Amino acid sequence: MSKIEMKGLSVYYGNGTVHALKDVNMKIEANKITALIGPSGCGKTTFLRALNRMNELIRVRTEGEVLIDGIDIYSKKVDVIQLRKKVGMVFQQPNPFPMSIYDNVAYGPRIHGVRNRELDGIVEESLKKAALWDEVKDRLEENAFGFSGGQQQRLCIARALAVNPEIILFDEPCSSLDPISTARIEELLSKLKREYTIVIVTHNMQQAARISDFTAFFLMGELIECGKTPQIFERPRDKRTEDYITGRFG
Amino acid sequence: MNIKEKIVKGGLFVSALISVVVLLIVIGYIVVNGIGVISLDFLLKSPYRFEYGGVFPQIIGSLFLVALCLLFAVPLGVASAIYLAEYAPDNVITSCIRLFVECLAGIPSIVIGLFGLVFLVYYLGFGVSMLSGGLALGFMILPWTVRASEEAIKAVPRSYREASLALGASKWQTIRSVVLKSAYPGIITGILLGIGKAIGETAVVLLTAGSGLESFLPRSILDPVASLPVYVYMLATQGQTSAAYSRAFGASILLITMFLVMSISALFLRNRYIKRMSGGRW
Ligand SMILES: Nc1ncnc2c1ncn2[C@@H]1O[C@H](COP(=O)(O)OP(=O)(O)OP(=O)(O)O)[C@@H](O)[C@H]1O
Ligand SMILES: [Mg+2]
């Protein structure tokens, strides 16, 4: 069974005037990296935020089903807090809280009621998984703003890992980072997929080709094509996918 | 630079100079006339008629009044601001509430004093007391607290809220642990403004809290309480001897000093907090 399955997913903004996702049907496999590509405004972010119901923070209408482990996350039974614990998110701009490294990572566990004496272990483990521990282990009490953009982004990853998610959503996590920081994050993602299901939006074709197992191409709110990454990049079935990948538009 | 530019620049410079000189004259006049009465006795003794004793009850009374006023206005103001900024639907009623807060901020203090006298002192039966004075001062600074806090809360970046919500935090957890923490310096500034207004406020306190010449400390919040501004007012209007005027100036020096100390310490607190939030040690 797929980890995530979309059935007829449509998303409208405003009073239904903007149809941002159109009848998307797609499956996402567990412990794989799925990359979402497509020109600006095609609905990648909207798609990602449909998976943890972050779209609900603004005026939006969602139709269709999103099944995670076979359960429709839009059904009334589903508690959005439990959903967001299970489906973590890392944003485009590193957005650590104005707190210490330690408090940033401990934030999630704390709000979910983890006791204080367990926090040290969780913080250390999460920072290690995010490949940040060695750089910050002596500076845990320092404010997160004093670190580089790449370090801040890995901190945000550690913060997401600390609540023990099963799926992590990345919305262009490297777009504000230099090549070295980007390489570190890519390396990290490849390690993380052993434990987590990863969905990543990227504008960078090489990045999608390098790190992802599956690639989905969106155009104007429609899912044009989705398949194994080598197939999408080497033998795209749709002419529009080919045009986009070869840089003829977008 | 042509001649016209020079004239404009010169004119502006002279204006700035006049402003500074006026300020210096006012402060200098007060200091010169009041410094003579400042002594340990003036600070630690109670007043006796217009010309004798000190202003100890007045100092303590002013501090009590401001404390009581903050105790009332800060929690209420911050809570209202949280509601307006985070929960209130974007509709006509909310706009009306905001407009109402704006209007409240513009009511002359003597009118608030009158309201305090009729409503708190007589109708609710609190009498002329520290409680009436503190609450009336609270009414006066409440709109400032609400407005400054709401602005501070609204200035917190959306990305902090999103990060918190995406971790599974509830709205209230997000507000409590992330939004208020980041809005804190702005809220402090609002409170500082409130303290500045409250500590020098005369009309409100005169009508609700006491006559200013009390020579005792209140034993409960239902006792009348002395305060520095009303003391100055009394001496200025009824003293009519040069000794009384000197004491009024002496009390004014204390009033200005208290204002400065509070402002500076609040500013200091705020700057330290901002520094802590943006790098450096937590
Ligand atoms: N809050 C909103 N209100 C109205 N329309 C919106 C809103 N957010 C996004 N849209 C519209 O929905 C469409 C999809 O937007 P989305 O942000 O998902 O695109 P994207 O693929 O992530 O683009 P980008 O690559 O620029 O990040 C766009 O046409 C956008 O203008
Ligand atoms: Mg986007």
Side-chain angles (χ1 to χ4, degrees), chain B residues 45-245:
Chain B
K45 290 224 159 112
S46 295
Y48 172 59
R49 288 197 267 166
F50 289 132
E51 294 92 355
Y52 308 101
V55 291
F56 183 66
Q58 281 66 26
I59 297 174
I60 300 299
S62 274
L63 292 178
F64 277 180
L65 280 170
V66 170
L68 200 61
C69 147
L70 294 178
L71 217 59
F72 167 74
V74 170
L76 191 63
V78 173
S80 315
I82 293 174
Y83 176 76
L84 284 175
E86 299 281 343
Y87 290 97
D90 204 6
N91 61 20
V92 186
I93 297 174
T94 309
S95 307
C96 285
I97 295 179
R98 279 208 188 89
L99 189 70
F100 182 74
V101 171
E102 293 288 315
C103 291
L104 200 62
I107 296 180
S109 61
I110 185 72
V111 179
I112 300 220
L114 180 66
F115 169 77
L117 178 70
V118 173
F119 184 69
L120 298 171
V121 175
Y122 297 141
Y123 183 75
L124 292 182
F126 294 160
V128 168
S129 64
M130 195 158 92
L131 182 61
S132 299
L135 287 178
L137 280 178
F139 293 155
M140 189 184 76
I141 71 158
L142 185 61
W144 264 271
T145 321
V146 175
R147 204 157 55 175
S149 307
E150 190 188 351
E151 267 161 30
I153 290 170
K154 282 196 164 154
V156 175
R158 197 186 148 79
S159 64
Y160 292 177
R161 296 162 212 261
E162 291 205 324
S164 171
L165 293 168
L167 286 166
S170 67
K171 187 165 178 173
W172 174 237
Q173 282 172 327
T174 300
I175 293 171
R176 214 186 45 201
S177 327
V178 175
V179 176
L180 287 185
K181 239 182 194 167
S182 316
Y184 183 73
I187 295 175
I188 289 283
T189 313
I191 294 172
L192 147 73
L193 259 166
I195 294 178
K197 281 184 73 70
I199 199 154
E201 176 53 38
T202 316
V204 169
V205 178
L206 178 67
L207 290 176
T208 54
S211 71
L213 279 170
E214 284 82 355
S215 58
F216 51 85
L217 290 178
R219 266 157 305 162
S220 86
I221 55 171
L222 289 174
D223 280 349
V225 63
S227 59
L228 283 171
V230 180
Y231 176 83
V232 173
Y233 172 80
M234 279 300 160
L235 260 53
T237 51
Q238 331 232 320
Q240 292 179 344
T241 60
S242 69
Y245 282 121

Side-chain angles (χ1 to χ4, degrees), chain A residues 77-89:
Chain A
K77 289 184 302 240
V78 171
D79 176 13
V80 71
I81 287 176
Q82 292 307 318
L83 170 71
R84 289 183 187 151
K85 238 181 107 179
K86 186 166 169 172
V87 186
M89 188 166 212

